[in-house]
Amino acid sequence: MKKMIVHTNQRTYPLIIGAGIHLQLADYLKQVGIDEKNKILIITDHHVAPLYLEGIKKALSDFDTRSYIIQAGEHAKSIEQTEKIVQIAIEEGLSR
């Protein structure tokens, strides 16, 4: 596992990279203050979902997870898609 710190103009955040890292995701979320009471929305695309979505859901089985699959590609990166994701988050009662 490799951890890097990313600095942007607005904030700083960790980037963690490693094979099988998703197996440690629940522990990491708990370390940063996200517990099982929090709902989690997993956003992925239709290329990545078949490869990793079920594994991520299994790794987060202690959490209340939802998932949303978008089309892959630049056309999916739109204001309309962002609005749809925000609407889903609101409907699911996500806190942030």
Side-chain angles (χ1 to χ4, degrees):
M1 176 171 54
K2 185 175 183 180
K3 185 174 182 179
M4 301 167 50
I5 302 298
V6 177
H7 300 279
T8 69
N9 289 338
Q10 297 177 348
R11 65 186 194 128
T12 301
Y13 59 91
L15 176 63
I16 303 170
I17 304 168
I21 195 79
H22 69 284
L23 300 173
Q24 301 170 32
L25 185 55
D27 292 334
Y28 178 76
L29 292 176
K30 291 173 187 176
Q31 287 175 13
V32 297
I34 299 172
D35 62 28
E36 294 89 350
K37 292 180 256 173
N38 295 103
K39 291 183 180 181
I40 296 176
L41 177 61
I42 303 165
I43 304 167
T44 186
D45 71 34
H46 76 274
H47 290 308
V48 175
L51 300 172
Y52 298 105
L53 182 56
E54 289 307 313
I56 296 291
K57 286 177 158 181
K58 187 175 181 181
L60 296 175
S61 62
D62 291 345
F63 294 84
D64 184 4
T65 61
R66 303 290 189 275
S67 59
Y68 180 65
I69 302 172
I70 63 173
Q71 293 297 310
E74 290 300 312
H75 65 280
K77 299 174 185 175
S78 66
I79 294 295
E80 294 80 18
Q81 190 63 258
T82 301
E83 289 172 347
K84 177 71 175 169
I85 293 168
V86 170
Q87 183 63 38
I88 290 168
I90 291 168
E91 289 170 2
E92 294 293 339
L94 275 70
S95 59
R96 58 176 163 148

